[in-house]
C-alpha cells in the first residue's frame, strides 16, 4: 500500500499563488514552499490513506521500518519540496558531510537538485562563483562585490540542475521549482537582499562558515540527461549517484513500473491518472506526492501524466 502524503504549506516573504495550478487549496497568497515529502519531527507530512491514515511520516518511518526495507538510517534520507519564487531567494551554500559532522553536531551536509517546473522569460539562478582563490572569494564576500562574484545562469521550463555540496546557489524571481535534497537542515546564508521576513526580522547570515565550505573551481550546471523510451513512455534520468537518483517519466497509457529500490518517492508534476499497487487503485493528479514502499510489489501507472521519481 503506497503512503499518500498531505502537503504542508509554508508562507515566505517571496512566496505567491502559483501552486493553485497544482490542485491545492492555498491557505494564503504568500505560499513559497510546499513540503511534499518531509519527515521532520516538527513538520512531517500526514498519511492520508489506510492503514496508516492520520499518522505522520516520521512516525511511520520509526515504527514501521519494514516499509522502507530496514533502511540503515535513523532519518528519511530525502526531503522534497516545491518552490514558488516571486522574488529571489537567499544566496546560500551547504557544507559537505565531513564539515557538517565536525561543526554541526554530527549532521549531514546537503546535496540537492532542481527541476524547473515553470519559469518566466528572463528567469535565472545563481550557480557557483567566479572566484579563483580563497583570497579572492573572501575579499569579494567581505566587500559585497556580489555582481562580479556570483555566476548567473538563464533557466527555462524543463531544465535540471544538480547542486553538489559546497556550490553557491540561489533561485531567482519568476521560477517554480521541484527541489529534491538530502534531509539536512544545515544552510549557510550568504546574502538575503537585506530584507525582513514575514515576522519583520532580518535573517542571520553565515559568512564565515560559507567561506570555509565554498568550493573553488569551475562548477558547471550542465547535466546530460539519459533519455530512453520504455513501453512507449519517455524516461529521462537526470542524475544517478550515491546521493540521489532522479528520473522523470512521461506516462502515456499504461506503464508497468519496476521499483529500482525498496522504496521510491513519486511526485506528479502534470496530468492525472492512477497508480495501481498490488491491485489497489489510487487516483492521482498534478500536485500529489506519495511513497511506494517495500511492500508495494506490483505497480502500474496508468493515464496521461508526468511524474518525477526520486530515490537513494
Amino acid at each position: 500500500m503506497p503512503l499518500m502524503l498531505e502537503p504542508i504549506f509554508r508562507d515566505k516573504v517571496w512566496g505567491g499563488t502559483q501552486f493553485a495550478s497544482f490542485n491545492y487549496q492555498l491557505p494564503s497568497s504568500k505560499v513559497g514552499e510546499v513540503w511534499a515529502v518531509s519527515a521532520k519531527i516538527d513538520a512531517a507530512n500526514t498519511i492520508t490513506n489506510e492503514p496508516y491514515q492520520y499518522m505522520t511520516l516520521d512516525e511511520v518511518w520509526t515504527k514501521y521500518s519494514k516499509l522502507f526495507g530496514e533502511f540503515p538510517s535513523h532519518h528519511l534520507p530525502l526531503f522534497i519540496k516545491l518552490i514558488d519564487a516571486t522574488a529571489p531567494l537567499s544566496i546560500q551554500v551547504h557544507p559537505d558531510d565531513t564539515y557538517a559532522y565536525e561543526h554541526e553536531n554530527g549532521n549531514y551536509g546537503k546535496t540537492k537538485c532542481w527541476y524547473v517546473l515553470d519559469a518566466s522569460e528572463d528567469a535565472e539562478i545563481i550557480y557557483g562563483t567566479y572566484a579563483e582563490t580563497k583570497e579572492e572569494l573572501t575579499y569579494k564576500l567581505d566587500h559585497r562585490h556580489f555582481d562580479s562574484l556570483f555566476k548567473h545562469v538563464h533557466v527555462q521550463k524543463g531544465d535540471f540542475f544538480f547542486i553538489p555540496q559546497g556550490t553557491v546557489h540561489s533561485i531567482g524571481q519568476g521560477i517554480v521549482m521541484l527541489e529534491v535534497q538530502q534531509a539536512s537542515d544545515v544552510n549557510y546564508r550568504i546574502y538575503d537582499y537585506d530584507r525582513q521576513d514575514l515576522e519583520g526580522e532580518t535573517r542571520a547570515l553565515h559568512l564565515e562558515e560559507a567561506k570555509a565550505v565554498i568550493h573553488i573551481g569551475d562548477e558547471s550546471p550542465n547535466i546530460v540527461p539519459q533519455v530512453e523510451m520504455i513501453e512507449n513512455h519517455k524516461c529521462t534520468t537526470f542524475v544517478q549517484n550515491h546521493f540521489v537518483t532522479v528520473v522523470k517519466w512521461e506516462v502515456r497509457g499504461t506503464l508497468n513500473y519496476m521499483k529500482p529500490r525498496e522504496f521510491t518517492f513519486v511526485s506528479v508534476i502534470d496530468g492525472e491518472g492512477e497508480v495501481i499497487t498490488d491491485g489497489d487503485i489510487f487516483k492521482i493528479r498534478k500536485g500529489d506526492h506519495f511513497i511506494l514502499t517495500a511492500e508495494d510489489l506490483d505497480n502500474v501507472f496508468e493515464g496521461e501524466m508526468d511524474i518525477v521519481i526520486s530515490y537513494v
Side-chain angles (χ1 to χ4, degrees), residues 37-277:
V37 180
S38 170
K40 296 177 183 288
I41 294 175
D42 58 341
N45 300 106
T46 300
I47 313 301
T48 63
N49 62 307
E50 296 289 352
Y52 307 102
Q53 191 172 21
Y54 307 124
M55 293 184 67
T56 58
L57 184 53
D58 60 318
E59 289 179 303
V60 175
W61 174 264
T62 300
K63 295 179 181 179
Y64 300 97
S65 58
K66 64 179 181 179
L67 295 176
F68 307 95
E70 308 291 347
F71 190 82
S73 172
H74 294 298
H75 307 287
L76 195 74
L78 296 181
F79 173 68
I80 300 173
K81 64 182 175 181
L82 303 172
I83 296 170
D84 175 13
T86 64
L89 276 63
S90 64
I91 302 169
Q92 57 184 239
V93 66
H94 309 298
D96 62 26
D97 291 344
T98 300
Y99 186 94
Y101 185 84
E102 294 177 356
H103 297 86
E104 299 291 346
N105 300 316
N107 281 321
Y108 289 106
K110 186 188 294 187
T111 294
K112 64 170 61 168
C113 43
W114 291 333
Y115 180 71
V116 181
L117 298 171
D118 201 4
S120 61
E121 185 175 349
D122 58 348
E124 62 181 22
I125 63 170
I126 288 174
Y127 189 106
T129 77
Y130 290 107
E132 297 182 353
T133 65
K134 278 287 187 182
E135 291 75 19
E136 179 185 1
L137 174 73
T138 298
Y139 179 85
K140 289 190 173 181
L141 286 176
D142 288 344
H143 293 82
R144 296 165 67 102
H145 292 178
F146 298 145
D147 289 342
S148 63
L149 178 60
F150 301 130
K151 294 181 180 179
H152 294 254
V153 179
H154 178 262
V155 302
Q156 59 187 359
K157 181 178 180 178
D159 285 346
F160 184 90
F161 300 92
F162 177 67
I163 305 168
Q165 300 165 344
T167 302
V168 173
H169 58 280
S170 174
I171 298 173
Q173 179 178 347
I175 298 174
V176 179
M177 198 82 82
L178 173 71
E179 179 176 284
V180 181
Q181 64 176 60
Q182 284 180 280
S184 167
D185 289 325
V186 183
N187 308 307
Y188 296 151
R189 197 174 298 111
I190 299 169
Y191 182 57
D192 197 30
Y193 303 92
D194 301 317
R195 63 188 167 197
Q196 296 179 336
D197 61 21
L198 294 173
E199 285 72 45
E201 301 291 335
T202 302
R203 296 199 295 177
L205 303 181
H206 314 95
L207 286 180
E208 296 309 311
E209 294 90 342
K211 292 174 189 175
V213 305
I214 291 174
H215 174 69
I216 301 296
D218 187 23
E219 301 99 337
S220 171
N222 295 325
I223 287 288
V224 180
Q226 304 298 314
V227 180
E228 56 185 328
M229 296 299 295
I230 300 176
E231 298 183 10
N232 297 317
H233 310 283
K234 185 177 179 180
C235 175
T236 305
T237 301
F238 291 115
V239 65
Q240 187 172 24
N241 56 41
H242 69 281
F243 290 113
V244 67
T245 296
V246 180
V247 180
K248 178 186 175 185
W249 286 89
E250 297 176 32
V251 179
R252 302 296 182 265
T254 301
L255 169 65
N256 296 291
Y257 180 68
M258 299 291 292
K259 292 202 317 293
R261 296 291 189 273
E262 294 277 14
F263 65 99
T264 60
F265 305 97
V266 184
S267 297
V268 185
I269 61 171
D270 200 15
E272 61 183 351
E274 299 173 341
V275 58
I276 306 167
T277 300

